[in-house]
């Protein structure tokens, strides 16, 4: 108990006569303890997140690559010159999920084929997000499970970025820009979006998932806007889902 209390709890000292008593008043870093648990469930008095689904069709290039990977566990990319092979069923499913985000490319610069995304890759989900932004006012959180695609999305949306590869200083700057309104959009990966994000609920009440992560990470990300003193009573969650895919 004492190790846990020292590491995660913020305390204050109260004096009663000649006796000093330490009292736990909250978390040292909001969400840090929950973010390290292998599994947890959070019960709320009422449902505050309103989730909607926005369905899109994959672009022709994405659909062709998706069907090749689905049927043969190999897709021809880079203008049909480079094969992307999935040697195991799990790898195949991972590749199919990535293809719903955008048309990937194969990087052979290191001698080992690596999946990547070009900045201008075909992406039905980003096109749908562009349409959504036309009628949206205010700040917006955008999530994707893919760190590589998060970089592409941030560039195309002129957004701040927060991923597992972001340093503490980069995360602090992204948060500052978002809170100050210098950046309307913050692109992040749910898995990285735990500690250090308190305060976003004051300026934002809408988030878009281009792709989901684990249930625990998704719940944690949504909870960032469900904290007390939030901007509005309800949080809007939009899932952009590609039809006839693993989405």
């Amino acid at each position: 108990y004492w190790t846990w209390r020292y590491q995660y709890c913020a305390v204050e000292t109260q004096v009663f006569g000649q006796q000093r008593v330490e009292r736990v008043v909250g978390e040292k870093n909001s969400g840090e303890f929950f973010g390290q648990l292998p599994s947890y469930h959070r019960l709320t008095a009422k449902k505050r997140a309103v989730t909607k689904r926005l369905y899109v069709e994959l672009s022709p290039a994405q659909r062709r690559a998706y069907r090749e990977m689905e049927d043969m566990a190999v897709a021809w990319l880079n203008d049909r010159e480079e094969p992307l092979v999935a040697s195991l069923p799990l790898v195949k499913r991972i590749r199919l999920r990535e293809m719903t985000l955008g048309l990937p490319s194969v990087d052979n610069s290191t001698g080992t084929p690596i999946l990547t995304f070009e900045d201008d890759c075909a992406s039905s989900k980003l096109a749908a997000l562009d349409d959504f932004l036309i009628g949206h006012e205010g700040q917006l959180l955008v999530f994707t499970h893919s760190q590589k695609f998060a970089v592409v999305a941030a560039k195309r949306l002129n957004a701040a970025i927060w991923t597992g590869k972001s340093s503490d200083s980069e995360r602090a700057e992204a948060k500052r820009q978002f809170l100050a309104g210098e950046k309307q959009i913050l692109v992040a990966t749910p898995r990285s979006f735990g500690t250090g994000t308190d305060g976003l609920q004051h300026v934002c009440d809408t988030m878009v998932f281009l792709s989901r992560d684990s249930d625990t990470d998704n719940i944690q990300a949504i909870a960032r806007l469900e904290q007390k003193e939030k901007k509005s009573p309800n949080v809007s969650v939009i899932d952009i889902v590609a039809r006839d895919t693993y989405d």
Side-chain angles (χ1 to χ4, degrees):
Y1 166 78
W2 293 107
T3 300
W4 168 81
R5 173 172 158 161
Y6 175 79
Q7 184 172 353
Y8 297 107
C9 297
V11 299
E12 68 177 13
T13 301
Q14 296 181 335
V15 179
F16 299 92
Q18 296 184 357
Q19 185 177 10
R20 298 170 63 87
V21 177
E22 285 190 343
R23 184 171 69 92
V24 175
V25 295
E27 300 175 77
K28 278 187 178 179
N29 298 298
S30 178
E32 180 178 5
F33 176 66
F34 283 118
Q36 296 183 25
L37 293 177
S39 176
Y40 73 91
H41 300 275
R42 183 173 186 170
L43 300 178
T44 56
K46 60 180 180 179
K47 186 176 181 181
R48 292 174 292 183
V50 179
T51 302
K52 299 179 181 179
R53 284 193 167 191
L54 175 61
Y55 289 93
V56 300
E57 300 289 345
L58 293 181
S59 71
Q62 284 178 270
R63 179 59 69 185
R64 183 191 64 227
Y66 189 94
R67 285 177 176 168
E68 289 177 347
M69 179 59 66
E70 188 174 38
D71 295 341
M72 301 178 293
V74 58
W76 289 88
L77 305 173
N78 296 21
D79 295 327
R80 311 288 294 164
E81 295 181 357
E82 294 285 351
L84 178 66
V85 180
S87 56
L88 298 171
L90 178 60
V91 176
K92 175 182 173 180
R93 180 164 182 170
I94 291 172
R95 296 293 177 251
L96 288 172
R97 287 199 69 207
E98 291 168 329
M99 287 177 178
T100 67
L101 292 169
L103 181 65
S105 301
V106 178
D107 181 3
N108 279 310
S109 60
T110 62
T112 302
I114 298 174
L115 181 143
T116 186
F117 294 97
E118 299 293 337
D119 291 349
D120 60 350
C121 68
S123 173
S124 297
K125 291 189 175 184
L126 285 182
L129 182 54
D130 285 337
D131 291 339
F132 172 80
L133 286 169
I134 294 175
H136 178 75
E137 296 182 359
Q139 306 295 87
L140 180 70
L141 284 173
V142 175
F143 289 105
T144 173
H145 78 285
S146 169
Q147 290 190 128
K148 293 179 180 179
F149 195 75
V151 173
V152 172
K155 289 180 179 179
R156 299 223 328 222
L157 297 168
N158 189 28
I161 186 169
W162 181 304
T163 73
K165 291 187 176 181
S166 303
S167 65
D168 290 343
S169 60
E170 289 172 335
R171 292 183 181 190
E173 177 60 14
K175 179 179 177 181
R176 186 198 67 76
Q177 291 178 333
F178 190 67
L179 291 178
E182 296 175 13
K183 296 287 187 179
Q184 180 190 12
I185 303 170
L186 175 59
V187 176
T189 52
R191 187 162 299 182
S192 69
F193 211 67
T195 60
T197 55
D198 187 38
L200 301 184
Q201 72 274 17
H202 300 310
V203 300
C204 183
D205 59 10
T206 306
M207 61 177 63
V208 172
F209 281 89
L210 299 175
S211 61
R212 292 250 178 175
D213 213 313
S214 70
D215 287 345
T216 299
D217 293 325
N218 298 332
I219 292 170
Q220 176 75 5
I222 295 172
R224 296 300 92 199
L225 298 190
E226 287 187 321
Q227 300 183 61
K228 60 184 179 180
E229 299 180 0
K230 54 189 179 295
K231 181 182 178 183
S232 65
N234 294 314
V235 175
S236 296
V237 181
I238 296 97
D239 279 295
I240 300 182
V241 179
R243 294 185 188 276
D244 301 321
T245 68
Y246 265 114
D247 275 356

